[in-house]
Amino acid sequence: RSYLRTQEIIAIKNPKKVAPELENQQSVRWLANNTGAGQIISTPREYQIELFEKAKEENIIAVLDTGSGKTLIAVLLLQHVINEELERRAKGMEKKISFFLVDSVALVFQQAAVLRCNLGQNVAQICGEMGTDRWSKEPWIEYMENNMVIVLTAEVLYQCLHHSYIKMSQISL
């Protein structure tokens, strides 16, 4: 246990360096460092506001073309949920966190950068390459304490829930 905990701490504090020949991962790193220099929210379109309002009331699935503003709708919803969460925390209630699920490592970095620019809150990015399969509960607690949103792949969240590191009751979105 001591060895695994030590390896876990090392993996968190010193993420794997990308080998020069892995061009795709280098471009992901570039994307993480260079995406989202400015805010994307300026004036949402009417259908985006309509979907946002609907999403505040009930679960929805928005199927829209690429470039039609699904991320903008998500940012609006996340900001709404974060505002509610800050009010909850001010009343001394249990902390909850929002998760932004994506289906690839590249999108983890891209969407985390976009969310950081638009939410004004701490946003973490987690992917399997960080050695999450060797993590215990402690790193998850630390991420929950220090962030309002975590961007990660669905599989990483599934494993976290499967091992009971986080309960569904701790998730706000």
Side-chain angles (χ1 to χ4, degrees):
R1 283 186 180 160
S2 174
Y3 172 77
L4 288 176
R5 180 68 181 142
T6 302
Q7 293 304 310
E8 182 178 287
I9 292 168
I10 290 170
I12 292 169
K13 294 187 181 209
N14 302 310
K16 296 179 190 175
K17 302 292 182 201
V18 177
E21 64 274 7
L22 299 176
E23 192 172 301
N24 184 36
Q25 288 182 353
Q26 287 179 358
S27 65
V28 169
R29 294 246 188 253
W30 180 89
L31 191 60
N33 293 328
N34 297 296
T35 299
Q39 291 197 353
I40 61 166
I41 296 178
S42 54
T43 51
R45 296 182 189 118
E46 188 176 326
Y47 70 88
Q48 292 167 322
I49 294 170
E50 183 181 335
L51 286 168
F52 161 63
E53 292 296 332
K54 188 87 168 160
K56 287 190 326 187
E57 303 302 321
E58 61 183 300
N59 289 329
I60 66 166
I61 297 175
V63 181
L64 301 170
D65 290 336
T66 300
S68 60
K70 294 182 294 291
T71 300
L72 183 134
I73 297 164
V75 166
L76 293 171
L77 185 60
L78 278 165
Q79 188 61 61
H80 172 74
V81 169
I82 287 170
N83 289 340
E84 288 182 338
E85 176 59 19
L86 291 173
E87 288 179 22
R88 286 175 31 72
R89 290 181 184 186
K91 294 176 184 174
M93 299 174 82
E94 179 187 21
K95 289 184 179 183
K96 292 187 176 192
I97 193 161
S98 295
F99 288 98
F100 191 103
L101 302 179
V102 297
D103 64 354
S104 70
V105 173
L107 286 176
V108 168
F109 292 100
Q110 179 184 0
Q111 296 294 12
V114 170
L115 295 179
R116 276 189 205 99
C117 288
N118 288 284
L119 294 177
Q121 298 289 334
N122 290 339
V123 176
Q125 56 197 34
I126 301 176
C127 58
E129 292 179 347
M130 296 168 69
T132 56
D133 56 335
R134 295 187 314 264
W135 287 9
S136 63
K137 188 172 185 165
E138 286 77 20
W140 289 105
I141 292 170
E142 188 174 326
Y143 274 102
M144 298 267 301
E145 286 293 319
N146 297 323
N147 298 284
M148 293 297 288
V149 179
I150 298 176
V151 181
L152 70 173
T153 58
E155 179 61 26
V156 172
L157 179 58
Y158 170 76
Q159 290 301 323
C160 177
L161 290 167
H162 177 73
H163 293 296
S164 299
Y165 297 150
I166 295 175
K167 297 180 238 166
M168 287 297 292
S169 63
Q170 294 174 289
I171 300 174
S172 59
L173 182 67

